[in-house]
Amino acid sequence: MIKINKKIVLGIVVASLVLSSCNEILDEQPRSGYTVDYFNSADGVTSGVTALYRSLRLLYGNGYYMSATQNGTDEATWAQSADGNFKDLDMTGGAGAINSNTFPTSMVWGSVFPYINTANGIIERAPKFNLPESLVSEARFFRSFYYFQLVQTYGGVPLDLGSGELVLNISPTTLSKRNTVPEVYSRGIFPDLLKAIDNLPATPRVTGGVTKNVARLILAKAYLTYGWWLQNPNNIPTYPDTARTDLDGHNAQWYFQKAYDLSLQGINNPGSYALQPTYYDVNEGSKDRNSEHMLYADHTASSIFYNEGDPVGYGSGWAPDNFATWMQTWNYTNIKSSKSATSWTPASPITREAAQSLGRPWVRMAPPIGVIKNTFADKNNDSRYDGTFVTTYRGNWQKTGTGLETVTTLYNANNLPVPIGGAILSFLDDDSQLSNIAYPSDGGQNSVGAGVLPGRADWVISPNGISRIVYPGLWKIGTYQTNDVTGLGYPNAALTRPFPVAKFSEFYFIAAEAAVKGASGAMSARDLINVIRARAGKWRFSNKNNAAYIADNSAAMIAATPATITIDYILAERSREYYGEFYRWFDLVRTQKWAEYAATYQIGGTAYGNHTPQNFTRNIQPYHYLRPIPQGQLDAMTEMSATDKAKYQNPGYN
């Protein structure tokens, strides 16, 4: 398990940071070290802005942050090779529990405060060098964005890092005082985002740079989240304890309306952003950085320096690498076929490859059965199941380096032949053929416990047979490389794809949720959701069949949308749209539905051949809706008494 290796002290000077330029796309002068002295020049302040973009890599694309945002929800549970970084977050029975030493829950706290302080320095020092407010507003955006991450995760957090509220701190301190949730929103989030909307450009200064619409999106989401907090429908506790009263005198309904209005402004004034024509286009690797991706943690295959890692080397499995997809990739390389049609002569039909459907298998997280059977129930009209998961694993033994390059045919289930690129193992869409599947009690001939259906050459597993060791992988955030098109590529290297942080499509979801909460305007919740569902009905490619597939099921998708949209329906749609993208814990906490949605789930066991669904229970308590303050932070506050440290911690974790 990864441990926190150094103490976190709030307001530590920027001299403690080791930063480099974000990447060649941002085209800034790289810095091997970044200290407070750099704020004494215009070039130094500008480099600080670059560092803020680079900071996105610490969380987005990080597999441990993936655990923090998805494990323990209805979207994910721990898989066969999981350690405490995943079992603790899952909170299943006696497998694990969250405490102040849990690493993934500490990641937001440990990652963003130094960059908030960097933003403080930019905002404070930039006017001395006549730098434009448009550039300063990029720092305002990041400061507010990170405070929004913090307040959702921990409740109230410090606005004073040691030298005054929202002021650059250059003196390390071992004291800290947490502000309340309303103070963080009213002073640390809303003003910066409003000013950023006024001063940021409509089109990005650099590829992937923040704009008016990016700031609109985050402010709309902050308004929506704060409205829920004020309303508090399920009496979830907050901390530090404070009245659920807005400092500016507004009620929850005012904030829901503002969230709706801002989202409609974003939709009606898209600038350089737009929805992609199909869901496949949003997530297909060759179309990365498309018009729907508004903000992302970027990487590059063209430079070790700017990528902060070798694009053809061995990925570290740690920030700033993009390696999240490894966590939910099972070990497909264990599948066996036969080289002979008459006697079983095992061979490996699928070798680890740097392809979007394959990649490096770490087997740390798995989708519960309910994701496949319920969330993505419609697999015919709705393209999002096919555009999210790997459901067909195909032979790649012809690739250079497999040792089977001259073999044209392997033999699989029922001793039937499979050609190069043919289906070796398929996850079935439903359980309609369950009674006809012959599963082995262990790994069986194919070594992974997959079943056999009469007349089919591919091994099969039905949704009911998904386990913690064999399950559909994640295609949408999977590996994509062009370094070695005839060979296996470099599957052990970290991904050089950008990892999404904000998408244009979320304007529709925020406005729809606000409408369900009482906001009104030109588009109803159903109108807004149907824009997304209509797009989901349009296909141009089938991952399942690995072939072009042109279909327009948008009319059927719209017809199937309920007349009355509820929060539950929006949450289901959000999961279909954003599965695997670090949204789910925040969504369930915001709407106070976490315990309702994730308290129970089903999945098979940890051994090959386990295909009987087991029922599991999570003990999700109201205090869990806030993460614990990291123990490293408490230990570092040496000037505070044990009593004061206990008061600093969120209740339930002492």
Side-chain angles (χ1 to χ4, degrees), residues 361-445:
W362 272 27
V363 204
R364 302 300 201 271
M365 296 168 60
I369 290 172
V371 170
I372 310 303
K373 295 177 70 169
N374 302 325
T375 304
F376 292 93
D378 183 356
K379 301 175 178 67
N380 296 316
N381 293 317
D382 195 331
S383 66
R384 289 175 292 187
Y385 178 70
D386 186 77
T388 297
F389 293 101
V390 183
T391 60
T392 304
Y393 286 81
R394 297 181 175 276
N396 67 348
W397 68 85
Q398 85 285 3
K399 295 277 187 171
T400 302
T402 66
L404 297 171
E405 293 91 340
T406 61
V407 176
T408 58
T409 304
L410 289 177
Y411 299 88
N412 218 50
N414 296 302
N415 292 323
L416 292 173
V418 179
I420 293 168
I424 300 296
L425 185 149
S426 300
F427 289 93
L428 303 178
D429 286 348
D430 55 49
D431 291 318
S432 60
Q433 301 182 74
L434 181 59
S435 62
N436 298 320
I437 301 174
Y439 283 121
S441 60
D442 53 15
Q445 279 188 324

Side-chain angles (χ1 to χ4, degrees), residues 95-212:
I98 294 170
N99 57 62
S100 61
N101 287 305
T102 301
F103 173 70
T105 57
S106 75
M107 291 181 69
V108 173
W109 190 282
S111 298
V112 307
F113 274 116
Y115 290 94
I116 287 173
N117 201 35
T118 299
N120 289 342
I122 294 166
I123 294 165
E124 180 180 310
R125 301 288 178 88
K128 297 180 181 180
F129 305 105
N130 297 316
L131 294 174
E133 176 57 39
S134 59
L135 184 69
V136 177
S137 282
E138 293 184 38
R140 296 187 193 280
F141 169 84
F142 278 99
R143 182 169 72 177
S144 57
F145 176 72
Y146 283 143
Y147 268 121
F148 184 40
Q149 295 292 92
L150 286 163
V151 78
Q152 292 176 92
T153 306
Y154 305 103
V157 294
L159 295 174
D160 181 352
L161 303 187
S163 296
E165 193 168 289
L166 301 177
V167 172
L168 171 66
N169 183 44
I170 59 174
S171 302
T173 179
T174 57
L175 293 171
S176 180
K177 179 182 178 181
R178 295 174 64 179
N179 290 86
T180 65
V181 169
E183 289 170 344
V184 175
Y185 275 107
S186 297
R187 304 209 290 264
I189 298 174
F190 298 151
D192 272 349
L193 286 171
L194 286 167
K195 192 155 189 176
I197 291 170
D198 286 341
N199 292 283
L200 285 171
T203 57
R205 174 178 64 90
V206 290
T207 300
V210 295
T211 62
K212 291 181 183 295

Side-chain angles (χ1 to χ4, degrees), residues 197-322:
I197 291 170
D198 286 341
N199 292 283
L200 285 171
T203 57
R205 174 178 64 90
V206 290
T207 300
V210 295
T211 62
K212 291 181 183 295
N213 247 5
V214 176
R216 279 194 190 103
L217 180 70
I218 301 306
L219 181 56
K221 196 166 188 178
Y223 281 152
L224 179 71
T225 305
Y226 187 50
W228 275 101
W229 184 89
L230 289 170
Q231 200 172 64
N232 193 25
N234 293 334
N235 296 312
I236 299 297
T238 191
Y239 200 76
D241 191 33
T242 188
R244 302 256 178 177
T245 303
D246 178 45
L247 298 183
D248 295 321
H250 303 304
N251 60 17
Q253 192 56 47
W254 188 89
Y255 282 101
F256 292 138
Q257 188 63 53
K258 293 293 286 185
Y260 178 93
D261 292 343
L262 266 179
S263 296
L264 265 290
Q265 287 178 29
I267 292 167
N268 294 328
N269 300 277
S272 57
Y273 308 110
L275 295 178
Q276 290 292 289
T278 72
Y279 191 73
Y280 181 86
D281 290 308
V282 179
N283 301 300
E284 201 272 316
S286 69
K287 293 184 176 294
D288 283 341
R289 304 176 188 86
N290 59 62
S291 62
E292 195 160 331
H293 291 180
M294 300 178 77
L295 183 66
Y296 38 84
D298 211 352
H299 294 269
T300 177
S302 61
S303 168
I304 295 175
F305 182 76
Y306 286 107
N307 191 54
E308 296 187 285
D310 189 349
V312 298
Y314 204 88
S316 67
W318 183 239
D321 284 357
N322 176 359

Side-chain angles (χ1 to χ4, degrees), residues 314-347:
Y314 204 88
S316 67
W318 183 239
D321 284 357
N322 176 359
F323 63 100
T325 192
W326 301 350
M327 301 302 180
Q328 204 163 317
T329 301
W330 69 284
N331 202 352
Y332 57 86
T333 63
N334 285 342
I335 303 172
K336 293 293 185 288
S337 299
S338 175
K339 289 189 279 189
S340 169
T342 57
S343 63
W344 189 256
T345 308

